[in-house]
Amino acid sequence: MYRGLAIIFGFFLMGEWLSETLSLSIPGSVLGMLLLLGALLSGVIKLEWVENEAEIFVRNMSVLFIPPGVGIVTYLGLIKSQVVPIFGALLISFIVTLLATAKTVELIRGRKGGDAG
């Protein structure tokens, strides 16, 4: 358990450090996830090492949405005045995320032999 958490938080911190050091506009957490994805795809990190811990995070993901929910209520007036650009960005990012996730799963399953069905 500690190894998986150390790997996940290690990649998170590595992403934060890269984002801060290189002054990138990409959030460090996203960079950390991309680095972890690269390590998983290249086989440097084995899926079994982080699988259980990642499932715990996914199962409890709703708790992580409480602070943004409070922020939405706080800025409701601003959100109402910018509703079209916000929903446009949400729709585009939803489609991009859906396609990226589908392609990533397709790549991972293809590497495992494609018999997971």
Side-chain angles (χ1 to χ4, degrees), residues 67-84:
V70 172
I72 287 173
V73 171
T74 303
Y75 293 104
L76 200 54
L78 178 64
I79 291 171
K80 281 182 182 176
S81 69
Q82 301 291 325
V83 71
V84 173

Side-chain angles (χ1 to χ4, degrees), residues 2-25:
Y2 296 117
R3 178 176 58 184
L5 286 175
I7 291 169
I8 291 171
F9 284 114
F11 276 95
F12 167 73
L13 291 174
M14 199 180 329
E16 288 289 333
W17 179 79
L18 275 174
S19 177
E20 187 70 28
T21 302
L22 301 175
S23 299
L24 300 173
S25 59

Side-chain angles (χ1 to χ4, degrees), residues 64-117:
L64 302 174
F65 284 103
I66 292 173
V70 172
I72 287 173
V73 171
T74 303
Y75 293 104
L76 200 54
L78 178 64
I79 291 171
K80 281 182 182 176
S81 69
Q82 301 291 325
V83 71
V84 173
I86 289 172
F87 278 104
L90 285 173
L91 183 64
I92 290 169
S93 65
F94 170 74
I95 291 169
V96 169
T97 303
L98 188 67
L99 292 174
T101 303
K103 283 294 177 190
T104 303
V105 169
E106 194 175 275
L107 279 171
I108 291 171
R109 286 192 172 179
R111 285 183 180 216
K112 287 186 173 180
D115 59 343

Side-chain angles (χ1 to χ4, degrees), residues 39-58:
L40 285 168
L41 290 176
S42 66
V44 172
I45 302 291
K46 302 233 181 281
L47 180 61
E48 299 82 38
W49 295 352
V50 294
E51 191 171 23
N52 290 336
E53 292 76 12
E55 285 180 10
I56 290 171
F57 284 127
V58 170

Side-chain angles (χ1 to χ4, degrees), residues 22-38:
L22 301 175
S23 299
L24 300 173
S25 59
I26 301 172
S29 56
V30 174
L31 274 178
M33 283 194 306
L34 290 174
L35 291 171
L36 180 58
L37 175 66

